[in-house]
Amino acid sequence: MNFLGDCMEDISSKWQRRRSDFNHQWLKNRLLSALDCGANFLQGRLQGTGYLEDVILIEVREWTERRKDLDELLNDFEYEMSPSRLLDTPPLCDWEPNIKSVIAELIHKLWIVRYPVKEWVETARKAVSEVNQEYDFLTVINPTNENGQVNFEFISHYELFRAACRSLSKTIEKFPHQVLVT
Amino acid sequence: MSLTIPKVLIIDDLFGRDVPSRYNRERENLCGKFLLSEIPQKGISKSSRFEISDPVAHVVFYRGQIPSTSGVGAVVENDLQSSLEIVRAGWSDALEKGEIPWAMVLLDLCFYTGRVTEESNRRTLGMPEGRPGDDEPSNYFGLTLLDAIHQEFPELPIFILSSKPREEVSLEFSKRGALGFIDRSDIRGPELLQEALWHHGLLPDPTGEIVGNSLQLLLALRKARQAAKLRENVLIRGELGTGKELMAKYIHRVSSTANSSKHEELVTMDASHLTPEMFSSEMFGIKPRTATGVDGNIGWIEVANGSDLFLDEVANMRPDVQPGFLRVLQNRKITPVGSRKTKSIDVRFISASNAFLENETKFKPDLLDRLRLGGTIWLPPLRERKTDIPLLVEGFIREAEGKQVAMRREITPEALDLLMNHNWPGNIRELRTCIFGAVSSHPDVEHLVPAHIQLINYSVQDPKNIIPNIQLNEPQTQKQHAKISNSIDDFLEIMNSFNFDHLGKNQLMGNLGDLEYSFAWFLARYLNASIDETRKGQSIENPKGNILYTPAFTLIAGDPYLSPDFSKKQIRRLLEPLKDELTDDLLELYEVIKDPKKKSIKKHPINKLPRKRSIRRIQ
């Protein structure tokens, strides 16, 4: 049992680490943290100049790079977290290749049927699409108007973008944290 | 309410790491999100792009790993020992020095280790690649830290601050002693942290009414805040003079703050004064026109309805009153005398006692259970929170100086040592009396030295019957003589330097102010000394005893046949010109003397209170 557990840990750790890099390290700890901080600016709890512009310029614009990582992560999910990966590790990897391919296909189909694998990915893609949409709005609006006051339209899209990012994070959180075999 | 901002420690690999040549952007964002004001540490840069108008906490960040700054090629390892050292510095070391300790420590869960590569550095500056297992809940370094910190500092409040899923570790962190979990990505960041600090953190009283930073006091204050939230009856226990009434006011105050309700006065009554004859009328009130000549009266419980009623000396509640009181607590209903209508009541009873109620055979156990339904708060004796003595002394000196102070007194380290080494059986009240005595007896000194301190040694056989055995550092008579002789010296000096020779009677009129004032002070000092000599009825509740004005005035007049009325008149005449500058004892005496209706300086029992009540207000 421990051996199987170790195998599953090992085969899933790469995808889990990539997810952690995206969702934990970047989306939550960097982007959402910066957006929440910016929201405190908009509510008058923080004072200073140029912070919101920096958030858009540095943290928000990084989305265009990070979403590529996310696309790959979502594309790889079905295969990388499939229990059929167990057949790539000892001792199952020593099976006859033709038997292994049949079994692997069977295990993979069972995994897709028994768990909402496609649905997880689809839901995540929809969440990505919402973030994309709000990103496009947000990045073309100036945070402040000519008088230096915060632009009302900016506030509205800022909050929508923040909500979309938070929703995306929760969606990604829902993906399984280990290979599901039961 | 003015706030003392709590100080917290965050141990986190990402937010605690130092970034060379620029500030840690992630840390800055976290500070802005949770409204944390960073306390700069050696070698760690401070966030600088904004200011926080109303910070939730001051924060110190620590990486929990070595090195604190890591560039490409560096290998990052978790460091338990240095983490414990920084916790210790702000906790046990701070407590020993009487400083405000960490209100709370917040721990991250997952700490990434290993080599910092080009790729990992590109993703997040200074962060390592991570080793297999770093990200596994069973291997979280945060839980190892939690174990070690909780084991070494069991009273230190620890919360998990993480963006990892709570359910992964909820059982583990509870088992290991963490008090809760704050989701770092939760949108209610500042409010969540504030709530966690308020209910679980160790915070001094922000108003300064309850003075001290000792662990025992901070734990009692936290318990009080937790009890206040429940709105159930609370029992405050502690030796005499530990500040039970102040604690009751604190509970009342923080409840009002938490409920955002109007801050109303705390209704206070002495439970020992209730008798069966007047129990119903006093507690429930009297319906108007119940009988000829009887005025209507609102009972204490109705006065406190919707709020709190403080019952002092609950152990002294008469056994024949307790059943009626228990019924009120059980039914939450009252019927005023002369009325047939019952009224529902919503009153929280905050009781106080210095007795061990469980051993009081005359105290109903079911009443005790009802009174402590919302918790029992134990107030530590002063001997167990000696690190608070310097703060208390400072406060009492300022209080004793009053508003008209011409100079600001200091206490010397030697005098403070004397106070720190005393056992204080009379607790804070005894310390206050001691400091007030030192200040009032030495109005012209800028430094209080050991010779100015008079300590009272109590015999402590039975805590309920502690009788103070007054022993002064030097014999009492010498001390009093010294005080009087100072006044004589002043008086004689003014007399000697006063020019009588060339002034006629008419010219002297109106020009004798200094002389009259000095003479009045001389007599007042003399009276003060004679008051001390003739006091009676000393007990633990009343360590100084009662003032007996006729014997006191007899002593200075030398006439054994003086009537009380005559003594009163003479004392009034003597103190009238000095009424704004009197010492505590003389002021107390003057208040009694000037009011012909008052016969005793003791508190009036409840059945002698006037019908129109004045309720003590909390400021």
Side-chain angles (χ1 to χ4, degrees):
Chain A
M1 187 61 199
N2 283 341
F3 178 74
L4 185 64
D6 288 346
C7 282
M8 288 191 294
E9 217 169 75
D10 194 42
I11 59 172
S12 69
S13 66
K14 204 173 164 191
W15 190 88
Q16 295 294 344
R17 179 62 214 257
R18 284 166 62 203
R19 169 168 72 170
S20 177
D21 278 345
F22 176 82
N23 195 33
H24 177 71
Q25 295 289 71
W26 182 73
L27 186 54
K28 285 182 175 181
N29 286 343
R30 290 267 297 278
L31 183 61
L32 278 171
S33 210
L35 290 170
D36 290 344
C37 178
N40 281 334
F41 257 99
L42 295 172
Q43 290 165 21
R45 295 162 119 179
L46 301 174
Q47 286 82 41
T49 51
Y51 181 81
L52 284 172
E53 286 80 356
D54 276 3
V55 168
I56 302 298
L57 201 66
I58 300 166
E59 318 291 357
V60 174
R61 286 198 185 273
E62 201 174 333
W63 167 247
T64 53
E65 289 300 313
R66 296 286 180 166
R67 70 183 167 197
K68 290 175 197 162
D69 296 341
L70 180 58
D71 275 343
E72 285 174 22
L73 187 74
L74 295 177
N75 288 340
D76 296 345
F77 169 70
E78 185 182 321
Y79 173 71
E80 293 234 8
M81 291 299 287
S82 167
S84 64
R85 294 285 315 281
L86 286 168
L87 296 164
D88 297 338
T89 60
L92 304 183
C93 62
D94 295 334
W95 283 6
E96 287 289 323
N98 53 344
I99 297 175
K100 213 166 63 172
S101 68
V102 174
I103 299 283
E105 199 180 333
L106 178 66
I107 291 173
H108 190 76
K109 278 188 178 163
L110 282 172
W111 141 248
I112 291 170
V113 171
R114 293 177 68 185
Y115 293 97
V117 177
K118 306 275 184 197
E119 199 181 311
W120 282 326
V121 176
E122 277 312 301
T123 310
R125 290 203 193 286
K126 273 184 195 163
V128 172
S129 154
E130 277 176 32
V131 175
N132 276 334
Q133 189 183 322
E134 292 306 329
Y135 173 86
D136 290 342
F137 283 123
L138 184 66
T139 47
V140 294
I141 307 169
N142 277 333
T144 49
N145 60 25
E146 309 83 52
N147 303 324
Q149 290 164 327
V150 180
N151 194 337
F152 182 76
E153 201 185 355
F154 173 81
I155 297 175
S156 167
H157 283 290
Y158 186 93
E159 287 302 335
L160 287 169
F161 179 73
R162 188 159 76 115
C165 289
R166 187 159 264 111
S167 170
L168 172 63
S169 176
K170 282 182 183 161
T171 307
I172 296 169
E173 195 78 60
K174 283 179 187 161
F175 280 83
H177 289 261
Q178 57 190 19
V179 173
L180 301 169
V181 290
T182 53
Chain B
M1 185 188 285
S2 68
L3 288 170
T4 306
I5 300 171
K7 188 174 73 170
V8 301
L9 171 67
I10 295 182
I11 305 183
D12 187 297
D13 58 342
L14 179 72
F15 303 109
R17 81 196 196 285
D18 196 11
V19 179
S21 74
R22 51 159 272 199
Y23 46 77
N24 179 333
R25 191 183 297 279
E26 289 81 11
R27 183 191 306 169
E28 186 190 35
N29 289 336
L30 189 83
C31 285
K33 175 192 165 104
F34 283 96
L35 305 180
L36 299 167
S37 157
E38 189 188 351
I39 303 172
Q41 299 291 294
K42 192 183 170 190
I44 296 178
S45 57
K46 186 183 182 301
S47 304
S48 58
R49 282 189 297 170
F50 51 72
E51 282 185 11
I52 303 166
S53 45
D54 189 11
V56 170
H58 287 307
V59 61
V60 171
F61 285 96
Y62 190 65
R63 184 174 193 171
Q65 298 177 314
I66 45 170
S68 62
T69 311
S70 48
V72 174
V75 176
V76 177
E77 301 291 354
N78 293 330
D79 188 3
L80 184 62
Q81 285 315 312
S82 71
S83 303
L84 287 173
E85 272 166 32
I86 196 157
V87 173
R88 195 177 296 121
W91 181 251
S92 35
D93 293 358
L95 285 167
E96 261 176 45
K97 292 177 198 161
E99 294 170 0
I100 301 176
W102 303 121
M104 183 176 276
V105 170
L106 297 153
L107 296 179
D108 186 22
L109 285 173
C110 176
F111 288 68
Y112 289 108
T113 59
R115 190 170 297 278
V116 180
T117 61
E118 292 283 355
E119 174 58 18
S120 68
N121 193 56
R122 184 192 64 77
R123 285 197 305 261
T124 311
L125 219 56
M127 287 296 282
E129 268 295 321
R131 294 191 177 110
D134 283 348
D135 213 10
E136 287 299 320
S138 55
N139 292 334
Y140 282 156
F141 179 60
L143 293 177
T144 308
L145 270 175
L146 172 60
D147 262 341
I149 296 172
H150 187 61
Q151 196 175 350
E152 188 169 342
F153 317 105
E155 305 286 5
L156 173 56
I158 309 171
F159 254 63
I160 302 295
L161 177 68
S162 173
S163 49
K164 292 286 183 187
R166 180 189 181 121
E167 57 276 11
E168 275 184 359
V169 287
S170 59
L171 177 63
E172 284 304 315
F173 79 68
S174 302
K175 279 199 297 194
R176 293 166 197 238
L179 299 174
F181 184 104
I182 296 175
D183 181 352
R184 213 159 51 205
S185 55
D186 195 302
I187 201 163
R188 301 162 297 163
E191 290 72 29
L192 278 182
L193 180 59
Q194 204 153 32
E195 199 180 318
L197 282 166
W198 184 250
H199 292 297
H200 301 283
L202 294 177
L203 316 172
D205 178 8
T207 65
E209 274 185 33
I210 298 178
V211 176
N213 306 319
S214 61
L215 178 60
Q216 291 82 351
L217 179 69
L218 296 179
L219 289 169
L221 289 171
R222 179 175 69 179
K223 179 87 177 163
R225 290 194 301 276
Q226 290 168 344
K229 191 183 177 188
L230 293 174
R231 280 276 314 151
E232 293 286 356
N233 300 334
V234 181
L235 179 61
I236 302 168
R237 306 173 78 162
E239 292 178 10
L240 288 160
T242 47
K244 293 186 284 296
E245 186 168 349
L246 271 183
M247 184 56 87
K249 289 176 179 176
Y250 178 79
I251 293 172
H252 178 69
R253 176 158 39 90
V254 298
S255 301
S256 309
T257 310
N259 299 333
S260 307
S261 59
K262 190 183 155 198
H263 185 69
E264 291 172 353
E265 60 253 28
L266 175 63
V267 183
T268 301
M269 59 176 291
D270 190 332
S272 63
H273 293 315
L274 284 170
T275 62
E277 295 76 29
M278 38 71 74
F279 174 77
S280 296
S281 59
E282 286 297 327
M283 297 304 290
F284 307 152
I286 304 170
K287 187 188 170 193
R289 292 184 291 284
T290 297
T292 309
V294 175
D295 292 335
N297 180 31
I298 298 175
W300 288 105
I301 291 177
E302 204 171 340
V303 170
N305 202 10
S307 184
D308 301 320
L309 177 58
F310 177 51
L311 287 171
D312 204 0
E313 305 291 352
V314 75
N316 297 337
M317 186 186 282
R318 292 173 50 148
D320 43 10
V321 165
Q322 292 176 24
F325 204 79
L326 180 61
R327 271 195 302 280
V328 176
L329 295 183
Q330 281 171 335
N331 302 333
R332 298 267 158 194
K333 284 179 181 164
I334 57 166
T335 311
V337 174
S339 172
R340 290 182 182 179
K341 284 185 184 172
T342 56
K343 294 179 179 180
S344 293
I345 52 134
D346 170 26
V347 175
R348 172 175 54 190
F349 294 89
I350 305 173
S351 316
S353 174
N354 64 309
F356 195 65
L357 290 167
E358 289 80 353
N359 287 359
E360 294 283 328
T361 50
K362 291 179 181 171
F363 202 83
K364 287 174 78 67
D366 39 359
L367 178 58
L368 174 60
D369 286 341
R370 291 275 170 183
L371 288 174
R372 61 183 178 187
L373 204 59
T376 302
I377 294 153
W378 292 90
L379 280 178
L382 187 54
R383 63 183 169 277
E384 287 176 15
R385 42 175 293 213
K386 283 191 172 179
T387 51
D388 288 335
I389 288 177
L391 276 177
L392 287 162
V393 168
E394 170 73 17
F396 290 147
I397 291 175
R398 300 286 91 82
E399 192 185 345
E401 286 171 340
K403 289 177 184 170
Q404 296 167 348
V405 60
M407 73 172 93
R408 193 176 166 84
R409 287 170 187 77
E410 301 295 334
I411 187 158
T412 62
E414 295 77 21
L416 198 55
D417 277 351
L418 183 68
L419 298 175
M420 294 287 277
N421 290 325
H422 186 57
N423 204 34
W424 300 111
N427 293 297
I428 299 170
R429 193 178 299 153
E430 183 191 348
L431 176 63
R432 185 173 182 271
T433 305
C434 173
I435 298 298
F436 268 63
V439 171
S440 63
S441 306
H442 306 89
D444 301 322
V445 300
E446 286 161 324
H447 297 279
L448 294 177
V449 299
H452 300 146
I453 306 291
Q454 294 181 0
L455 298 174
I456 300 169
N457 293 323
Y458 289 77
S459 56
V460 289
Q461 304 90 346
D462 179 355
K464 281 192 74 182
N465 298 304
I466 296 171
I467 305 297
N469 168 25
I470 299 172
Q471 290 180 351
L472 303 173
N473 286 349
E474 41 189 302
Q476 189 179 11
T477 45
Q478 278 182 23
K479 199 84 177 173
Q480 299 299 356
H481 288 166
K483 283 196 285 181
I484 298 161
S485 63
N486 281 344
S487 292
I488 293 173
D489 291 345
D490 292 346
F491 177 52
L492 289 177
E493 196 182 322
I494 291 175
M495 264 189 84
N496 286 334
S497 60
F498 202 87
N499 185 6
F500 290 95
D501 294 345
H502 306 294
L503 298 173
K505 187 183 171 188
N506 290 341
Q507 288 167 303
L508 277 172
M509 292 298 286
N511 287 317
L512 292 169
D514 284 353
L515 194 60
E516 284 170 339
Y517 178 80
S518 182
F519 184 61
W521 257 118
F522 159 60
L523 288 179
R525 288 286 174 79
Y526 194 9
L527 179 61
N528 204 0
S530 62
I531 285 169
D532 283 344
E533 288 295 327
T534 54
R535 281 177 183 278
K536 287 272 160 50
Q538 288 151 327
S539 67
I540 188 65
E541 292 92 349
N542 186 12
K544 292 174 76 179
N546 298 325
I547 295 174
L548 304 174
Y549 56 83
T550 306
F553 195 71
T554 297
L555 190 66
I556 60 172
D559 181 351
Y561 302 109
L562 292 178
S563 72
D565 277 351
F566 179 79
S567 301
K568 250 188 189 181
K569 276 182 197 166
Q570 294 302 314
I571 294 170
R572 189 157 64 238
R573 214 176 125 195
L574 171 62
L575 298 182
E576 189 77 40
L578 304 168
K579 63 184 177 189
D580 294 331
E581 303 166 68
L582 294 175
T583 60
D584 271 8
D585 285 348
L586 290 174
L587 188 63
E588 193 181 351
L589 177 61
Y590 178 68
E591 292 294 327
V592 176
I593 296 297
K594 76 169 184 178
D595 181 358
K597 288 177 190 167
K598 285 189 181 176
K599 290 182 179 174
S600 161
I601 60 160
K602 285 181 178 176
K603 282 182 185 173
H604 284 266
I606 194 167
N607 55 356
K608 288 185 182 170
L609 279 174
R611 281 285 166 216
K612 191 175 177 184
R613 292 185 174 118
S614 61
I615 297 155
R616 284 193 270 167
R617 287 176 182 277
I618 305 166
Q619 296 302 322

